[in-house]
Amino acid sequence: MIGLVLAAGAGRRLRPYTDTLPKALVPVDGERTILDLTLGNFAEVGIKVVAIVVGYRAEAVYQRKAALEAQYGLTLTLVDNDKAEEWNNAYSLWCARELFGEGLLLANGDTVHPASVQRTMLDANARLAAEGNAPGILLALDTVKKLADEEMKVVVDPELGMRRITKLMDPAEATGEYIGLTVINPPPPTTWPPRSRPPSSATRSSTTRTATRRW
């Protein structure tokens, strides 16, 4: 399994901090950036290879690539999103589709977690796989936080998994908030390689499960 960071967005709401930097490179802890924290977490849980989807101000990530590899002991691959200022994270994920066969631990480039979240996700995925119930996708949810309009809200059926994910939902209807971390297991050979066209925004997985522990 490899790491994947979606870090192509422009982060317009963070301007002027993102006038010259992608939001993943905005410092949040002294000089440490969101990307620093994410890569450090990956290294801590044993991930050795990480792909980063870049777009807006991609040159800033390219310039730091060697230093990040040396600092965290990782092998980094940068994947270019040529529509970063037009399309959303779904297209960034599509740009990295050739990596799906590796199995992915995906982190959004604008969210921060302790490494315990990644570790819990990997442990839960390994347990389900050992039971013969490996999900296609495993999402991390916060089921304790009080939700409002801005959160990415998720509805989960205990038997069927995720049924809906959107910000445009009454918070009272949601099971919890998706916190930007996902395990994507390798697809079955019969569905690989992926199709050549981008997926519809309505595409859903019937094998999505959720990890709903509070960290």
Side-chain angles (χ1 to χ4, degrees):
M1 183 167 288
I2 68 173
L4 177 65
V5 185
L6 303 184
R12 294 180 180 87
R13 289 177 294 181
L14 293 178
R15 287 177 175 168
Y17 303 106
T18 53
D19 283 345
T20 59
L21 292 171
K23 55 186 173 181
L25 290 184
V26 173
V28 294
D29 179 21
E31 294 299 314
R32 298 180 75 197
T33 67
I34 297 174
L35 186 57
D36 282 313
L37 296 170
T38 300
L39 296 180
N41 287 349
F42 281 158
E44 187 171 334
V45 301
I47 298 290
K48 301 297 184 183
V49 176
V50 178
I52 306 172
V53 181
V54 297
Y56 175 76
R57 299 296 184 184
E59 68 279 2
V61 184
Y62 273 95
Q63 290 166 3
R64 300 190 192 194
K65 177 177 179 289
L68 290 169
E69 288 180 318
Q71 182 172 357
Y72 297 107
L74 300 170
T75 299
L76 301 181
T77 298
L78 303 187
V79 178
D80 289 301
N81 176 345
D82 60 344
K83 299 183 183 296
E85 297 191 62
E86 304 169 47
W87 292 7
N88 61 20
N89 264 359
Y91 185 72
S92 283
L93 191 58
W94 177 251
C95 291
R97 64 194 180 277
E98 298 299 333
L99 302 174
F100 284 20
E102 304 286 339
L104 301 173
L105 178 59
L106 179 155
N108 285 349
D110 58 359
T111 55
V112 176
H113 321 91
S116 59
V117 182
Q118 278 88 337
R119 188 175 298 110
T120 298
M121 292 288 288
L122 292 174
D123 289 349
N125 190 64
R127 185 183 70 252
L128 289 168
E131 295 169 353
N133 295 316
I137 299 172
L138 183 68
L139 302 179
L141 301 186
D142 183 338
T143 58
V144 176
K145 177 182 176 182
K146 184 177 180 180
L147 304 180
D149 291 340
E150 184 59 25
E151 284 81 8
M152 183 62 72
K153 294 172 280 294
V154 181
V155 173
V156 176
D157 182 290
E159 298 298 325
L160 300 176
M162 185 187 74
R163 310 315 298 159
R164 189 180 180 198
I165 179 168
T166 179
K167 290 184 178 182
L168 305 177
M169 182 193 306
D170 182 347
E173 298 176 3
T175 306
E177 176 193 8
Y178 169 60
I179 58 173
L181 192 71
T182 307
V183 171
I184 302 176
N185 283 302
T190 55
T191 63
W192 194 254
R195 297 174 298 170
S196 59
R197 64 181 181 85
S200 164
S201 60
T203 298
R204 298 185 181 185
S205 170
S206 61
T207 57
T208 302
R209 293 294 182 265
T210 58
T212 57
R213 178 176 173 180
R214 174 68 166 176
W215 298 274

